[in-house]
Amino acid sequence: MYDVTALGELLIDFTPSDHSDKGNILFETNPGGAPANVLVALSKLDKKTAFIGKVGNDQFGHFLRSVLQEHNIDTSNLLFSDHVNTTLAFVHLDENGDRSFSFYRNPGADIMLDRDEINEELIKQSRIFHFGSLSLTNDPAATATFTALLYAKKHKKIISYDPNLRIPLWESLDDAKEMMLKGLEYADIVKLSEEELEFLTGYSDVVKGTEVLHAQYDTSLIFVTLGSKGCFYRSKKDHGSKEGFRVKAIDTTGAGDAFLGGVLYKLLETNKPLHELTTPDLVGIVTFANALGALATEEKGGIPSMPTMEQVERLLNKE
């Protein structure tokens, strides 16, 4: 039995690390991809996880598989493409550690995952199924994602969703909005940023925006990450916010994924039906998740920055 199985992109983040003798920026090879980041966050907290996706049959693809295996993530449904290379993302950081991306994915192996390649048994054997919106940008991966979601529904799994807006990867903003909203039709748990909330609802106000999503999709739990300000949450009975933790941010890549890993970890530990979560339960969940998100900003990269339980407890006890 697995705690969480995730489907989606597994890629290389080239993160700026220093300058050469000639003054040129040097990039460091970091493993990443939002769904994979979430699984690593969970596996570092001793949860059993599995990944579904596709990489190129190249040095990057084999490196990425070895990284997942080092973190005890099941890679039996990680496939290799002989025709398309592993997707690459170049990360650009500003003075606050906030990042933007340039993608090399035209196409990339992650969007070549076919619906016939999904291992239904893996989803059936999991407590939670997690996906993001980057596997919805192109077929065949979009159809494969919806196939996996139908399997998750069929086997009555909790479905977690990260509607991740990466504008360069979509044909158009209309296409992005349509597909990202389609993902919401399946989700029990949704994690999104303020920017993504406004993009999907037209509201920058988190109370109103989440109210619209809840009314339209009957989502059990919605979390809006607010960067250093923490997070806003909404359940079917309650809503509120919890301030973040003060840390020295170097690179925000993967912070939202660490946060979501923290949410899923606490939900698995609490082991209550989502509709039975109390306000103290929700406050405990977001406090823990905020700690993970904050700690992930203290190191560069997505997967390499996921914190240990020891680091999380140290931060929680300090506060």
Side-chain angles (χ1 to χ4, degrees), residues 5-8 50-54 77-78 113 118-119 122-123 129:
T5 291
L7 177 150
F51 183 78
I52 300 172
K54 189 175 272 193
N77 206 182
L78 173 62
L113 182 70
I118 306 290
N119 180 355
L122 211 52
I123 296 168
F129 176 72

Side-chain angles (χ1 to χ4, degrees), residues 206-218:
V206 290
V207 177
K208 184 63 183 168
T210 54
E211 198 177 277
V212 167
L213 288 186
H214 177 69
Q216 194 165 352
Y217 299 99
D218 197 32

Side-chain angles (χ1 to χ4, degrees), residues 40-51:
V40 172
L42 284 157
S43 72
K44 287 187 86 164
L45 303 175
D46 284 336
K47 291 299 176 193
K48 200 169 178 214
T49 62
F51 183 78

Side-chain angles (χ1 to χ4, degrees), residues 2 4 11 33 47 91 111 157 236 243 265 298 305 319:
Y2 297 92
V4 181
L11 46 79
K47 291 299 176 193
V91 182
I111 58 175
K157 302 302 169 186
K236 291 190 176 183
E243 70 279 3
Y265 173 84
E298 292 188 321
S305 69
E319 292 286 321

Side-chain angles (χ1 to χ4, degrees), residues 26-252:
L26 298 174
F27 285 91
E28 183 178 26
T29 307
N30 278 313
N37 293 342
V38 172
L39 292 186
V40 172
L42 284 157
S43 72
K44 287 187 86 164
L45 303 175
D46 284 336
K47 291 299 176 193
K48 200 169 178 214
T49 62
F51 183 78
I52 300 172
K54 189 175 272 193
V55 290
N57 190 8
D58 50 36
Q59 66 184 54
F60 293 128
H62 289 278
F63 165 66
L64 288 167
R65 181 175 66 173
S66 71
V67 169
L68 294 192
Q69 289 174 341
E70 280 165 26
H71 288 96
N72 300 314
I73 296 167
D74 183 303
T75 57
S76 60
N77 206 182
L78 173 62
L79 305 162
F80 289 90
S81 170
D82 288 325
H83 308 292
V84 180
N85 288 338
T86 301
T87 296
L88 308 178
F90 284 82
V91 182
H92 311 283
L93 299 174
D94 68 14
E95 60 275 8
N96 300 318
D98 286 327
R99 77 277 185 269
S100 57
F101 296 91
S102 299
F103 289 93
Y104 288 75
R105 188 203 200 205
N106 193 23
D110 62 299
I111 58 175
M112 304 311 289
L113 182 70
D114 198 272
R115 66 181 179 186
D116 299 333
E117 296 172 322
I118 306 290
N119 180 355
E120 181 180 349
E121 192 61 28
L122 211 52
I123 296 168
K124 185 182 176 183
Q125 296 295 327
S126 303
R127 292 171 67 187
I128 296 173
F129 176 72
H130 173 67
F131 75 110
S133 59
L134 295 198
S135 60
L136 304 178
T137 59
N138 303 79
D139 264 330
T143 300
T145 304
F146 289 121
T147 300
L149 286 165
L150 291 174
Y151 292 153
K153 283 287 185 196
K154 172 180 158 186
H155 298 297
K156 297 181 169 54
K157 302 302 169 186
I158 295 170
I159 297 175
S160 159
Y161 176 39
D162 177 6
N164 208 340
L165 181 61
R166 296 283 180 267
I167 292 168
L169 295 179
W170 294 92
E171 285 288 313
S172 69
L173 286 178
D174 288 343
D175 188 36
K177 190 170 182 178
E178 181 190 342
M179 293 301 277
M180 288 166 75
L181 289 173
K182 201 171 172 188
L184 287 168
E185 295 170 15
Y186 297 84
D188 303 298
I189 302 158
V190 173
K191 187 279 299 177
L192 67 179
S193 68
E194 291 173 282
E195 177 199 12
E196 288 151 358
L197 181 70
E198 185 173 2
F199 176 69
L200 293 175
T201 67
Y203 293 99
S204 57
D205 177 72
V206 290
V207 177
K208 184 63 183 168
T210 54
E211 198 177 277
V212 167
L213 288 186
H214 177 69
Q216 194 165 352
Y217 299 99
D218 197 32
T219 314
S220 295
L221 292 175
I222 303 171
F223 299 92
V224 184
T225 52
L226 309 172
S228 60
K229 300 196 296 284
C231 133
F232 177 87
Y233 61 90
R234 179 181 289 281
S235 70
K236 291 190 176 183
K237 297 182 286 197
D238 193 15
H239 64 80
S241 57
K242 185 76 181 138
E243 70 279 3
F245 292 88
R246 280 188 297 277
V247 293
K248 186 167 172 45
I250 294 171
D251 177 6
T252 58

